[in-house]
Amino acid sequence: DAGVIQSPRHEVTEMGQEVTLRCKPISGHNSLFWYRQTMMRGLELLIYFNNNVPIDDSGMPEDRFSAKMPNASFSTLKIQPSEPRDSAVYFCASRKGTLSNQPQHFGDGTRLSIL
Amino acid sequence: DQQVKQNSPSLSVQEGRISILNCDYTNSMFDYFLWYKKYPAEGPTFLISISSIKDKNEDGRFTVFLNKSAKHLSLHIVPSQPGDSAVYFCAASSNFGNEKLTFGTGTRLTIIP
């Protein structure tokens, strides 16, 4: 079975540019999560969706970040304009059902470098 | 504030011995705990979990212990194998109107052959 698919795997861009990260969750999963991993703060939840509806975006750092889930099989995380401090690994995860006692399945991440 | 803490950034253990990874939490509303394992350039993979109604859960070489009064949990791996070398994340959640996971910062485990 295909797991969570993220693209691109690596992105290097200049400060000020728009960055779009993409995620395809596992088919049949109802919840989708975007995380950011940094050395200082570890894995931080940015936003999550249940049944394509954003539930909690309190982790989104600022208005430069936005996320959408237009359908059950696709989500995007956009940063505009990007800044060097946004450099991190961004993970997408999906989960079957909406209860937290079910494990999340992670993609392999997008390593983002903002110069 | 870090609600889930893994105070040891790294741990080295001889192959065949027991590895013990520790995790502390501060939020008494947490009622479900998970351990994830992460290899370089890959996403975290679910390893084992425990509900707050239990104090132990075992799956093969992996056992998680929960001490609610101390707000502490630990992951035991025995015997440790070279393939266990990875970063281990502890995570916690609460079903009281909050379905998200809060992760610790991880412990890098190195198994020495």
Side-chain angles (χ1 to χ4, degrees), chain B residues 1 26 45 53 67 72-75:
Chain B
D1 64 348
T26 57
T45 303
I53 62 173
N67 182 335
H72 177 83
L73 65 156
S74 60
L75 174 68

Side-chain angles (χ1 to χ4, degrees), chain A:
Chain A
D1 289 341
V4 175
I5 299 171
Q6 291 187 245
S7 64
R9 288 299 311 275
H10 303 274
E11 174 87 16
V12 181
T13 192
E14 292 189 346
M15 185 174 90
Q17 297 296 308
E18 177 179 294
V19 173
T20 300
L21 311 181
R22 296 173 175 80
C23 176
K24 177 178 169 55
I26 294 172
S27 177
H29 281 197
N30 305 95
S31 301
L32 183 140
F33 305 80
W34 282 101
Y35 290 89
R36 177 171 67 177
Q37 184 186 18
T38 61
M39 289 294 292
M40 291 298 295
R41 299 177 68 88
L43 266 169
E44 298 176 277
L45 178 67
L46 301 177
I47 185 171
Y48 77 96
F49 298 82
N50 281 349
N51 298 313
N52 312 340
V53 176
I55 301 300
D56 185 344
D57 65 354
S58 59
M60 296 286 260
E62 46 199 273
D63 292 345
R64 297 184 298 107
F65 285 69
S66 62
K68 293 182 180 180
M69 192 165 186
N71 57 61
S73 58
F74 184 66
S75 177
T76 59
L77 177 68
K78 189 173 291 187
I79 309 172
Q80 165 64 17
S82 57
E83 297 182 3
R85 60 192 167 123
D86 302 330
S87 298
V89 181
Y90 291 80
F91 288 102
C92 175
S94 69
R95 179 182 66 197
K96 190 175 179 65
T98 57
L99 297 179
S100 59
N101 62 354
Q102 293 162 311
Q104 297 178 20
H105 299 264
F106 284 77
D108 286 337
T110 295
R111 182 174 294 277
L112 177 64
S113 297
I114 308 298
L115 307 177

Side-chain angles (χ1 to χ4, degrees), chain B residues 73-111:
Chain B
L73 65 156
S74 60
L75 174 68
H76 292 211
I77 307 173
V78 56
S80 300
Q81 299 174 354
D84 297 329
S85 295
V87 177
Y88 289 79
F89 290 96
C90 169
S93 72
S94 163
N95 270 325
F96 292 98
N98 180 348
E99 302 160 342
K100 58 188 182 184
L101 288 179
T102 301
F103 282 84
T105 50
T107 296
R108 180 178 301 278
L109 175 66
T110 301
I111 305 302

